[in-house]
Amino acid sequence: MVPHLSGQTDSISRKPIVTTKDFIFLRLETDYSGKYTINGQISKYKMNKWVKETERATGRQIAFVFNDSIIARPRVNCRIENGVFQITSISDKKLPDIYKELKQEKIDSIEVLFKD
């Protein structure tokens, strides 16, 4: 997830707010209309950054970037203090595959910590 650059409407920052390794919770679900969503939560170690950056982005959009493509760009209405997020997309049929890849990336990052 990356913020748009200040004063620009079609650019995103090179530095992400958080990455997959910063998620402590990730789940594929469906919303009230049957469309797929990815729901998650940011770790407590990145929570201060998440709160600060979502507050800074209030009234603007942040982008969920996956494999160099923007999959969602929600408008931030206020700072998000609980670290919870939801990814929705008009291409929601792609979200199950994206979820599987995100989940595997998280598993791989944890396994690296416990290599002999």
Side-chain angles (χ1 to χ4, degrees):
M1 290 174 244
V2 293
H4 281 281
L5 292 175
S6 178
Q8 297 180 346
T9 58
D10 62 353
S11 297
I12 55 176
S13 171
R14 293 184 192 272
K15 187 175 179 184
I17 298 170
V18 294
T19 63
T20 306
K21 68 179 182 176
D22 302 317
F23 301 161
I24 59 167
F25 167 81
L26 204 60
R27 182 181 299 152
L28 181 67
E29 297 181 350
T30 54
D31 67 11
Y32 63 90
S33 64
K35 291 188 176 198
Y36 288 109
T37 66
I38 297 174
N39 299 305
Q41 185 169 4
I42 307 302
S43 75
K44 67 179 181 178
Y45 300 105
K46 290 289 183 160
M47 191 66 68
N48 287 336
K49 182 176 183 185
W50 177 255
V51 171
K52 177 182 160 195
E53 293 297 330
T54 57
E55 181 174 38
R56 223 169 60 125
T58 299
R60 298 183 304 148
Q61 294 173 309
I62 60 172
F64 290 88
V65 178
F66 179 75
N67 289 343
D68 296 327
S69 295
I70 296 174
I71 59 169
R73 50 189 183 100
R75 180 168 305 282
V76 179
N77 295 320
C78 63
R79 74 191 219 160
I80 304 170
E81 295 183 7
N82 62 6
V84 173
F85 64 88
Q86 182 178 65
I87 301 171
T88 61
S89 176
I90 56 171
S91 303
D92 76 298
K93 300 295 184 214
K94 295 179 182 180
L95 291 181
D97 290 333
I98 291 170
Y99 169 77
K100 287 176 190 171
E101 287 190 53
L102 290 171
K103 183 178 169 184
Q104 188 60 52
E105 185 178 320
K106 183 67 176 180
I107 290 168
D108 292 346
S109 72
I110 291 170
E111 286 179 349
V112 166
L113 295 174
F114 295 98
K115 283 202 175 199
D116 294 332

